[in-house]
């Protein structure tokens, strides 16, 4: 839905939802009011910096939600 709204436009999206952020052409990671990293989602994940750490935590938290419950012994 967001892609359709911004198609063909320059759009600034401020979000704490990483699922939305990874759709952006360019991501700016801001910490304490300063841009500490910028690039595409893939570049930032590859750089292994603060954005990558946040992304890994997000992936870990969402994958644990989708995991099936443990079986009884």
């Amino acid at each position: 839905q967001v892609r359709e709204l911004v198609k063909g436009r320059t759009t600034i999206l401020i979000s704490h939802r990483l699922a939305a952020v990874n759709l952006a052409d360019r991501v700016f990671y801001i910490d304490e009011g300063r841009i500490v990293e910028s690039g595409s989602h893939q570049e930032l994940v590859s750089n292994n910096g603060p954005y990558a750490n946040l992304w890994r935590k997000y992936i870990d938290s969402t994958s644990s939600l989708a995991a099936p419950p443990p079986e009884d012994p």
Side-chain angles (χ1 to χ4, degrees):
Q1 183 179 8
V2 173
R3 275 192 195 263
E4 284 300 313
L5 292 173
V6 301
K7 190 174 185 176
R9 300 177 181 161
T10 299
T11 305
I12 297 173
L13 170 68
I14 300 170
S15 179
H16 288 97
R17 297 188 64 218
L18 290 179
V21 172
N22 75 4
L23 298 175
D25 295 328
R26 191 134 193 94
V27 176
F28 293 88
Y29 185 95
I30 300 172
D31 187 26
E32 296 187 11
R34 294 180 181 252
I35 298 172
V36 295
E37 285 188 298
S38 68
S40 69
H41 167 76
Q42 198 61 27
E43 290 169 340
L44 294 178
V45 170
S46 297
N47 287 346
N48 209 25
Y51 180 86
N53 292 334
L54 186 63
W55 180 253
R56 280 191 294 275
K57 287 178 187 176
Y58 169 72
I59 292 300
D60 289 345
S61 71
T62 58
S63 64
S64 67
L65 294 175
E71 294 182 26
D72 289 331

